[in-house]
Amino acid sequence: MNLRMLQRRLSLLITLILLCCLSSCISFNTGARLDSLGKAVPTATTYNGSCYRLNGVAYKEVMVEYRQPNPHLIGTAFMGYFDNSGPGLPAADETVAPQPELYLARLSPARTDAPGFIRAIDFPYARAERLTQSSSLPESCFKHMDWLTLTRSQIDTNHELAELPTIRTTGNQIRQPVSILLSYGVDMPLTAVGYAVGGLLQLPILLFF
């Protein structure tokens, strides 16, 4: 095999690898993009609050702020990790989303008789024991996936909380069936096709090994 033929094969191999990577890591998020309009999700914006113990349950102060999701219309996926959410936006309508408010989030394992979040104005500080050592919020506090729109939650950008309610405008609620239809009827098939094309493009690569 001469040098020119080797170079041509190497170039073809690199091209196939690039095409494979590009086609197999694209995710479509038109449903999530539509669903983000008129939607505000609770996020934890600070982690430096004090910790307390009340009735044997540990809590941590956390500032809760409602933000508007900001999913990319076309995102990427690599090794099962979906990077399809940009930094959250300020809540579009301040009359719909409440102002930032201090809460106490539960740190202890789940208990049916202990609420996960308590508003600071309702927390009985006088009966609680302040803890000297601070702890991070457990992963169970956060929402990891929005199954209605098949998009990853913004846990890495705004720390979306799972237990507190999502706020939706009337327009958002009316559009929600369309958002779900786009997510499952358009985004999921297009993303699946991308993965399938990527798999097919990997087959010729085997010829070089």
Side-chain angles (χ1 to χ4, degrees):
M1 183 183 298
N2 58 38
L3 180 60
R4 176 167 294 184
M5 182 176 295
L6 181 62
Q7 290 176 336
R8 290 178 62 183
R9 286 203 169 190
L10 183 60
S11 298
L12 178 59
L13 176 62
I14 293 174
T15 301
L16 287 172
I17 292 175
L18 290 175
L19 287 173
C20 173
C21 293
L22 287 173
S23 64
S24 63
C25 67
I26 294 176
S27 64
F28 296 86
N29 312 299
T30 59
R33 189 72 174 184
L34 178 63
D35 185 61
S36 68
L37 303 177
K39 177 182 178 181
V41 298
T43 62
T45 59
T46 59
Y47 288 90
N48 56 355
S50 300
C51 293
Y52 296 85
R53 180 179 289 113
L54 178 66
N55 299 326
V57 181
Y59 289 89
K60 180 181 178 68
E61 289 178 327
V62 58
M63 186 64 68
V64 174
E65 180 180 0
Y66 275 82
R67 307 280 288 181
Q68 178 184 344
N70 183 30
H72 299 310
L73 200 59
I74 298 179
T76 58
F78 181 71
M79 297 294 289
Y81 176 85
F82 290 85
D83 178 21
N84 52 23
S85 292
L89 304 172
D93 189 348
E94 294 183 358
T95 63
V96 174
Q99 294 297 312
E101 184 177 0
L102 187 66
Y103 276 74
L104 282 98
R106 183 183 61 213
L107 298 176
S108 303
R111 283 177 39 172
T112 57
D113 59 339
F117 287 87
I118 303 175
R119 297 173 66 190
I121 59 174
D122 298 326
F123 189 79
Y125 283 95
R127 294 193 292 109
E129 173 193 358
R130 183 166 181 173
L131 304 178
T132 56
Q133 187 174 2
S134 182
S135 302
S136 300
L137 294 181
E139 289 294 311
S140 58
C141 283
F142 303 111
K143 185 176 181 180
H144 297 267
M145 187 74 176
D146 184 352
W147 293 105
L148 288 180
T149 56
L150 295 175
T151 52
R152 184 178 60 86
S153 176
Q154 298 180 42
I155 184 173
D156 294 329
T157 53
N158 284 317
H159 308 285
E160 183 179 348
L161 299 169
E163 187 168 328
L164 295 179
T166 295
I167 296 177
R168 300 176 181 271
T169 62
T170 302
N172 177 276
Q173 296 177 32
I174 294 174
R175 293 188 301 269
Q176 196 170 14
V178 180
S179 301
I180 296 173
L181 181 62
L182 285 173
S183 297
Y184 283 85
V186 177
D187 297 336
M188 186 168 65
L190 287 178
T191 302
V193 167
Y195 273 89
V197 171
L200 291 176
L201 288 175
Q202 293 181 47
L203 294 178
I205 297 177
L206 297 178
L207 299 176
F208 293 86
F209 297 95

